[in-house]
Amino acid sequence: MPMVTFIQPDGTPREVNVLPRSSAMSGAVQNGVPGILAECGGSCACATCHVYVDESCIDLLPPIDPLEDDLLEAVASERRETSRLSCQIKLTPELDGKLILHIPETQV
């Protein structure tokens, strides 16, 4: 199973295994990672799974689609160049062990 690292706002890392082809958000929820609320359950409708993709791996992800881009305009924490919705990040074998996601201070 692909592994992703979530970094809490205080800098604490947590590595979790995620089912292949599922989202980083679902992996966070299934593994009890604090800070990923996922109120819409991954349907790209709420922006409560906002993360900052680490600069070291941002180029490994596909571009943001228009719906995700629109939702990122309404995030509770500062939107940054590396902001993404974790429900839209699908875990592929190429991301295994390389994906690092920083969780913002707040989702609401």
Side-chain angles (χ1 to χ4, degrees):
M1 286 196 289
M3 191 270 299
V4 59
T5 302
F6 290 92
I7 309 289
Q8 292 295 314
D10 69 1
T12 304
R14 178 147 176 217
E15 295 179 347
V16 300
N17 290 314
V18 180
L19 292 172
R21 305 277 182 231
S22 63
S23 69
M25 180 224 71
S26 64
V29 170
Q30 291 169 356
N31 287 282
V33 174
I36 302 294
L37 301 181
E39 290 178 352
C40 72
S43 62
C44 197
C46 72
T48 60
C49 65
H50 175 216
V51 293
Y52 302 120
V53 179
D54 196 85
E55 293 282 344
S56 67
C57 54
I58 192 74
D59 292 333
L60 299 174
L61 300 180
I64 295 173
D65 72 27
L67 176 58
E68 180 181 4
D69 191 42
D70 285 346
L71 286 170
L72 285 167
E73 291 299 325
V75 293
S77 292
E78 171 191 13
R79 181 181 179 170
R80 301 178 185 167
E81 280 289 316
T82 61
S83 287
R84 294 297 298 261
L85 298 180
S86 60
C87 68
Q88 298 303 294
I89 301 174
K90 303 301 180 213
L91 275 293
T92 62
E94 297 79 31
L95 292 174
D96 183 20
K98 298 175 186 169
L99 185 61
I100 302 169
L101 303 174
H102 299 265
I103 298 173
E105 287 288 330
T106 187
Q107 298 285 1
V108 291

